[in-house]
Amino acid sequence: MQGGWRLWLSLWLCGALLLFAGLGTASVTPERAQQLYGPQVLRIYRDWQQLVLRLGRESDEVKVREVNQFFNQRLHYMEDIELWKQVDYWATPLESMSRGAGDCEDYAFAKYFTLRELGVAQQKLRMIYVKARIGGPASTITQAHMVLAYYAEPTAEPLVLDSLISSIMPASQRSDLQPVFSFNGDGIWVGGGSAPNASVDRLTRWRQLIDKMKAEGFIN
Amino acid sequence: MKRVSLIQQLWFLVVAAVVLAAAGSLAANLYNARNYLEQQLAAQSADAANSLALLITQNHADRAMGETLINAAFDQGHFRSITWRDPEGKATVQRLNAAGFGGAPQWFRQIFPLTTAPARAMVSSGWMQAGFVEVESEAGYAYVSLWQGALTVSFWVAIAGIVVGLIGSIGVGTIRRQLLAVVDQAKAITQRRFVTIPEPDGPEMGRLAQAMNAMVTRVKAMFEEEANRLEEMRRQLNFDKVTALANRDYFMGRLGATLGEPDVAQEVLVLMRIGALAELNAHLGRPLTDEMLAQFGRVLLDRQRFGDDSLAARMNGADFTLLAQQSHFDADKVAQLHDELMALLSSFAGEAVVLSMAVTELRQGDSIRDVMSRLDAALALAEANGGTRVEIAGGNVDKPLALTAERWGHLLDQAVAASEFKLVRFAVRNAHGGLLHEEAPLRLKQGDDWLPASQFLPMAIRTRRVAALDLAAVGMALTQLAADPACPGLGVNLAAESLDDDGFIAQLAALVRNQRQAASRLWLEMAEAGVVPRFERFRALCLALEELPCKIGVEHFGRQFSLIGQLHDLGIDYLKVDGSFVPQIEQHQGNQTFLKGVCNIAHNIGLGVVAEGVKTEQEASTLFALGFDGVTGPGVK
């Protein structure tokens, strides 16, 4: 009896994985995006779709460079309090594209999910909370900041994708940033344990962001 | 397959509802609790993993520092394991609480598994990845909590279940009682007892009982109407209008029947003549004369004085007769009666009135003619004497056993103890000449003689030994029935006086119950005249024998006829109609109509009807044509 139950669960998981694998190309249609956030979203979204199509077969390094460049050029930096009238707001990539603006987390999330869409492995990407010194090496002004890091190898020095600086640099050249903590979309949970913990999991901000994107249809 | 009764179904429903509700609430409670505990464990793991990862990252992922931090967290916390793995997934630091934490039985853990997936948080050393921290909370205390919860909930659910079950069983019990009442009523109806029951409160049962009661009431009303009609007919046919005494025809029938009975009871017949009644009538006027005669009749009708079975009749204008048991009526009492009646007449007509009176005993072998001519002669003598004293016709017959009551008691006790009895048999035949059953009266051995019941029964009644005699007779009949399977049935005549004995009914029922097989051919009967004054006792007897296979009947039915209106309440099986109606029935149109009515009413409530005192072939064939099921008497061999 229990064996049968396990068999069914594993079959179901396989099906879910297959679905997820096929997801890469299927994204939100322009009509759906327009319906959600108005016509202004299409300004950036159509270009983003083309970018994704264009980069499909490129190497990870090219993808990282192009995606970083795309968002640093098309979004302009704006604090949450101005943009969303909230102290701290985690926007989805589509929301950021509809406003054409975002703060440091929004840049990092947009880049992270685009790279994931392009097939970059999850283990190579981390969102990193950093303490950033602003205004030159002698400055004492610091602020909380977030960047996306790309690890070509798990033990390698990462490349830092920042919203403040348009070009990508190795971490060793970013003495203005002091890393504090990191996480990725691996989820907090290990080993398919998401089902029983679903309700308490929803309390985390990361999970809330994922849920919002699922509602948009951006990811499944 | 055994069919499930309504009560069993109701019980099943109650039990199933209680069990399902209890199991459902227990399961729902446990699953909710388990879900909550799992989430708490998960949140605890995740928060601990993040805090540890943050601390280790802040300390540049120094291995010693990391291990210290992990030790501190592990030793003070509630974790099953904390592991720091490098980016390749190899464990750098691992703490594992292999002992676990008991408290809940193993089977319970298997039925309600708590899945505690480990939580993971990333560790960095500066910009470099330093693997991740995995934390798994200890589920043991959660199991204990879940187990305690299950016990508590089970306890309360069991209490609630018991309460609901009790309430349910009270409800089922009520329905069961009400159903049984209606079932008993229906059963009583099939046994020809038309009883009503109190209507229960519930609308369904109430309507059912109401309908049954209405039916019973209607049947009773029909029955009573018919009974009243018959009673009225009998009165017109057989009774004198002025005095309410029996008429000549009826009296002669009864006298003939009495003389024709196998055991002529020790009875006396009194003949009275009011002298010069025609002159009195002219002198007093008709209304006053009628009033005088009515009061005269009322004195003679006193059954308490002359015995249950006594009969008084107005033979013609001035002649009256009184048939009474000798035990109630010795020479002193006859003289007393004469004085009393004289006083009554004098109060109307003055001292000149003459009342002549003669008395005689009925003897074995007497014909009506013998008795009447003896009395007529004596009466002539009395008239010649001016009616001043009562003439006794034929003198005292030889009484073979003029013994004291004490001696009789001793004799009867001895006879019962030594079983010095026998049963003689008289046939009761149906229309085809077949044997319906045999009447089996008791004979008492006295020296070389066998005494008929008429000689020892009055003394048995007086010495209160009649119940023992009846039981002895029933026992003997049952023994004979058991020994003779070909015998269609034996009828035992029970004295109504036995009912006065408190233990009689129970002893009789026990006797019959012990011989169920033979008892199906046992016919027990009591005389109507004795039953009427003891009606409630007789009803108790019928109820006691209700479940037993023996048959119960009433004999000498119609002598008094007060019983027909109550037959439907008793549950008896047959009637034996008194021989008074039988003599020359083929010529008596009025009595034919009456007996036909009796047969109809009896058959309608399922009773068999037998005629007593049948002497001739013509009588028998007329009676069968009227609807009788059987006949017995001197003419039936």
Side-chain angles (χ1 to χ4, degrees), chain A residues 151 155 180 182 188 190 197 199, chain B residues 39 42 57 120 124 127-128:
Chain A
Y151 294 83
T155 49
V180 176
S182 64
I188 308 295
V190 182
N197 302 315
S199 52
Chain B
Q39 292 188 17
T57 301
R120 179 183 288 185
S124 317
W127 287 103
M128 302 302 288

Side-chain angles (χ1 to χ4, degrees), chain A residues 123 126 128 130 147 151 154-158 160 171 174 177 179-184 186-190 193 196-197 199-200, chain B residues 35 38-39 42-43 45-46 50 53-54 57-58 87-88 110 115 117-124 126-131 134:
Chain A
Q123 293 75 20
R126 280 195 182 192
I128 302 187
V130 294
V147 297
Y151 294 83
T155 49
E157 179 190 8
V160 177
R174 293 301 301 271
L177 302 180
V180 176
F181 189 60
S182 64
F183 69 94
N184 68 3
D186 209 358
I188 308 295
W189 317 113
V190 182
N197 302 315
S199 52
V200 72
Chain B
N35 204 16
E38 277 182 345
Q39 292 188 17
S45 303
N50 273 318
L54 191 55
T57 301
Q58 287 308 297
E88 275 81 31
Q110 273 166 3
T115 43
R120 179 183 288 185
M122 300 299 164
V123 178
S124 317
W127 287 103
M128 302 302 288
Q129 290 191 15
E134 265 182 15

Side-chain angles (χ1 to χ4, degrees), chain B residues 422-436:
Chain B
K422 70 172 183 183
L423 296 174
V424 291
R425 298 195 187 183
F426 299 94
V428 178
R429 297 204 178 269
N430 63 21
H432 310 294
L435 207 52
L436 209 57

Side-chain angles (χ1 to χ4, degrees), chain B residues 533-594:
Chain B
R534 300 173 185 83
F535 189 72
E536 286 312 315
R537 290 252 175 165
F538 184 65
R539 188 204 292 277
L541 173 79
C542 291
L543 275 174
L545 298 178
E546 177 182 72
E547 302 292 340
L548 297 170
C550 65
K551 296 182 171 59
I552 311 174
V554 169
E555 64 167 353
H556 304 328
F557 180 83
R559 276 193 194 172
Q560 296 188 357
F561 211 70
S562 328
L563 203 54
I564 195 165
Q566 290 152 309
L567 287 178
H568 60 287
D569 262 1
L570 287 173
I572 59 171
D573 300 284
Y574 66 100
L575 296 178
K576 284 188 172 167
V577 175
D578 190 51
S580 328
F581 302 97
V582 170
Q584 277 102 49
I585 180 69
E586 67 273 14
Q587 291 163 24
H588 200 313
Q589 201 60 45
N591 272 348
Q592 283 185 21
T593 314
F594 167 68

